[in-house]
Amino acid sequence: MTKPSGILTSVIPFIVALLVGVVLGSVVQTQFNLAALQALGVDIPPGTRIATTLHDLASFAPLYAVLFSVGFVVSQSVAVALSCWLGGRFSVWLCTGGAVVGLWATLWLVNTLAPPPTLIAATRGIAGQVAMLATAGVAGVVFAGLRRHAQDAKRPRGFSGFAVFLAVGSLAVLPAISQPAQADLPYHIETLADDLAHPWSLAFLPDGRMLVTERPGRLRLLSNDGETLVQSLAGVPEVFAAGQAGLFDVALSPQFEDDRQVYLSYACGTAQANHTCLARAKLADNSLENVSEIFRAQPAKQGAAHFGGRIAWLPDGSLILTLGDGFDYREEAQNLGNHIGSIVRLNPDGSVPQDNPFVYYGEARPEIYSLGHRNVQGLVFDDQHQRLIAHEHGPRGGDEINIIEAGANYGWPIATGGLDYTGARVTPFEDYPGTEPPTLEWTPSIAPSGMALYSGELFHEWQGDLLVGALVNKEVRRVRLSDDASSAKDVEGLFGELGERIRDVRQGPEGAIYLLTDSPEGRLLRVMPTHLSPPDN
């Protein structure tokens, strides 16, 4: 009778243990995500729980297998080597402890290097972290036990077969992406300014000059043809700039020609305790004067993601400011006791309008205008139809355009069409009683950014349409809303020939389209009809 080979005594136990760790980890993360929703009062029937768990085994487990195997490979290799050095003793303890440390190190490394603060949502809290690490420990016990059982039949000569398996398993192939050729275009794009450090927003002054915010904390003053007049206006509030945090929107007072007031949204604080803040100031020739902070989102949060930051004015003179959920705090978007994941409405001095929907609602923050948002970075008021339009980022899919109504709940994270970045379900529900469904949803995600409602004369076919920047798609999506806002159609993609992330979209006073590209050397671009293009030099 043939006895097991060296590969069987090492690789097969490893594969079995790896599968055990991946399956247990997937099940645990699903239950913690569902528990977070239940804490919000969401009813999750047993059938829905089972279906969600099975979904995550199919969609989350493959990615988790890659992450888990990295630490498991290294930790079990070291554990076996140490056990052999110790004469075969302590293998269970070494494999178990090594698996726990390996997963912990992998999660720490991923959370440090990846854009999301916490990649696997279940590990945002201590209990979730401990539970996930415990699944790794179980996998370590399984590996040690199966390997010892195989060794009773035949002690392996070495670890060479295992090493070959690990080397092969570490390879990955990424698909190539090609771009279609561009047809003749009915517009011309010219560069007005470049070398802008992650420009975020643009505002036109009455005399044609422009203010451009740059995320590191600069407010640049440009002439109407894009020449830099002041590289960085003095007096800009101190900005927390890291990751997605920095200086965001700039908006002029509706009475700017009389009061010279400018409003700035920005991240303030530190990596450990930060907020979305709003300041107003008087614009002087080369600086901002009388700068004062008029709003600070509460409470403070950690990390450098999901701040919102768009500003719009309503016809009654009140101001709308969008906020984000801070990424790791998504359940707080359903908590009226804080500003996280909400849209707020303020008077021009930062005080609370007394007709806000939650002014007299228990412990609710009185500034809140709507709740249940993830990260709102597009905002316009439609004067013709008297409606406030916003869009927000989903995770993997679930980007939304919404018509914002006072006091409404837009569902995040109870209802969304998107998946988490890991492939896991954020929620079993795409819609849920008491929450507003989106007017339009993008899945997969386009990563919507700035948004304009076109009303100019230069591009007649775009009149009344939304122009939505798309960071992932590297284009602008043209969207047409129905008059009653009950439906919307994504008509086409524009300006994709640029191949650049579009951060903001604005309509200029003359009807041209202005774009800001998001990069360390970002550009301000102007889009004009071809027949009005300047002659070649």
Side-chain angles (χ1 to χ4, degrees):
M1 182 176 178
T2 303
K3 293 184 179 181
S5 67
I7 290 180
L8 291 179
T9 59
S10 297
V11 176
I12 291 180
F14 176 84
I15 294 174
V16 173
L18 178 65
L19 290 174
V20 168
V22 169
V23 169
L24 288 178
S26 179
V27 172
V28 165
Q29 72 85 28
T30 301
Q31 305 319 307
F32 270 85
N33 287 344
L34 294 179
L37 295 175
Q38 284 184 301
L40 298 174
V42 176
D43 179 37
I44 303 176
T48 301
R49 180 180 297 275
I50 293 171
T52 303
T53 303
L54 293 175
H55 171 277
D56 286 356
L57 282 171
S59 60
F60 167 81
L63 173 63
Y64 184 62
V66 174
L67 297 176
F68 183 79
S69 63
V70 172
F72 202 59
V73 163
V74 175
S75 67
Q76 301 312 288
S77 301
V78 173
V80 168
L82 284 175
S83 178
C84 290
W85 183 66
L86 294 170
R89 293 174 295 173
F90 309 117
S91 63
V92 174
W93 291 104
L94 289 170
C95 289
T96 302
V100 171
V101 173
L103 180 58
W104 176 86
T106 300
L107 294 177
W108 176 85
L109 185 63
V110 168
N111 291 338
T112 300
L113 299 179
T118 305
L119 181 61
I120 298 176
T123 64
R124 291 174 294 163
I126 297 298
Q129 291 182 35
V130 170
M132 292 293 286
L133 294 178
T135 66
V138 171
V141 171
V142 171
F143 176 63
L146 291 178
R147 186 171 181 274
R148 175 172 291 180
H149 179 75
Q151 285 176 323
D152 289 340
K154 178 181 179 180
R155 184 172 298 277
R157 294 173 180 267
F159 219 50
S160 58
F162 188 34
V164 171
F165 167 76
L166 302 182
V168 173
S170 64
L171 300 177
V173 178
L174 295 176
I177 300 175
S178 61
Q179 280 191 304
Q182 295 292 327
D184 292 338
L185 301 172
Y187 52 77
H188 166 83
I189 303 177
E190 57 182 321
T191 299
L192 296 185
D194 52 19
D195 291 328
L196 305 175
H198 290 287
W200 211 92
S201 180
L202 169 69
F204 298 94
L205 298 174
D207 60 7
R209 294 179 300 162
M210 295 171 280
L211 294 172
V212 175
T213 61
E214 296 175 73
R215 204 172 65 209
R218 290 186 293 274
L219 180 61
R220 188 180 294 242
L221 179 63
L222 302 176
S223 68
N224 58 3
D225 60 1
E227 178 186 357
T228 294
L229 303 176
V230 181
Q231 187 170 17
S232 183
L233 290 169
V236 173
E238 184 176 355
V239 167
F240 164 55
Q244 297 175 3
L247 182 60
F248 303 134
D249 213 352
V250 54
L252 307 183
S253 160
Q255 293 79 37
F256 177 80
E257 293 191 74
D258 297 323
D259 61 24
R260 306 289 295 177
Q261 294 292 313
V262 173
Y263 289 75
L264 296 171
S265 62
Y266 54 100
C268 58
T270 67
Q272 299 304 312
N274 55 70
H275 318 255
T276 301
C277 290
L278 181 69
R280 69 171 178 174
K282 183 177 181 180
L283 179 64
D285 291 338
N286 298 307
S287 65
L288 299 178
E289 298 178 347
N290 303 323
V291 181
S292 62
E293 178 188 303
I294 61 172
F295 173 79
R296 176 175 291 220
Q298 297 293 348
K301 53 184 179 55
Q302 287 185 314
H306 292 192
F307 292 86
R310 287 293 176 187
I311 302 170
W313 292 95
L314 297 184
D316 63 3
S318 62
L319 176 149
I320 296 291
L321 173 66
T322 71
L323 304 174
D325 70 346
F327 195 91
D328 277 352
Y329 304 83
R330 64 193 189 195
E331 289 80 17
E332 295 301 317
Q334 293 294 319
N335 182 359
L336 287 170
N338 62 57
H339 296 119
I340 292 173
S342 70
I343 291 176
V344 297
R345 175 172 172 252
L346 308 166
N347 289 319
D349 61 358
S351 61
V352 178
Q354 290 306 297
D355 58 346
N356 267 3
F358 301 108
V359 168
Y360 305 107
Y361 192 88
E363 299 298 320
R365 296 280 181 168
E367 298 90 352
I368 293 178
Y369 191 69
S370 62
L371 69 152
H373 300 286
R374 185 170 182 266
N375 190 24
V376 184
Q377 291 196 325
L379 185 70
V380 295
F381 186 79
D382 180 354
D383 291 310
Q384 179 181 356
H385 297 95
Q386 292 294 292
R387 58 193 180 189
L388 182 65
I389 307 168
H391 70 58
E392 62 186 86
H393 291 263
R396 274 177 55 181
D399 299 340
E400 298 179 357
I401 289 181
N402 291 298
I403 307 302
I404 304 301
E405 300 289 345
N409 183 343
Y410 291 86
W412 178 257
I414 295 173
T416 178
L419 299 176
D420 222 333
Y421 294 112
T422 59
R425 283 206 183 278
V426 175
T427 171
F429 308 106
E430 293 191 16
D431 53 75
Y432 194 81
T435 66
E436 299 295 323
T439 302
L440 180 68
E441 180 184 288
W442 284 285
T443 296
S445 172
I446 66 168
S449 53
M451 178 169 63
L453 179 63
Y454 190 74
S455 60
E457 297 294 331
L458 296 184
F459 299 97
H460 291 282
E461 66 274 23
W462 299 348
Q463 285 181 351
D465 291 347
L466 296 171
L467 302 178
V468 182
L471 295 167
V472 167
N473 289 39
K474 296 183 178 180
E475 62 181 354
V476 170
R477 302 305 305 178
R478 181 162 72 93
V479 175
R480 179 158 296 167
L481 287 172
S482 62
D483 288 345
D484 62 0
S486 62
S487 63
K489 180 182 179 182
D490 186 341
V491 178
E492 63 176 334
L494 300 167
F495 320 133
E497 66 275 13
L498 292 169
E500 297 192 58
R501 287 162 53 90
I502 305 299
R503 171 57 69 182
D504 201 12
V505 185
R506 300 281 173 161
Q507 177 183 318
E510 79 284 32
I513 301 299
Y514 290 75
L515 309 174
L516 290 175
T517 66
D518 180 38
S519 75
E521 297 180 349
R523 296 190 290 163
L524 170 62
L525 308 173
R526 180 166 58 195
V527 183
M528 296 283 287
T530 301
H531 69 277
L532 295 180
S533 300
D536 294 333
N537 293 326

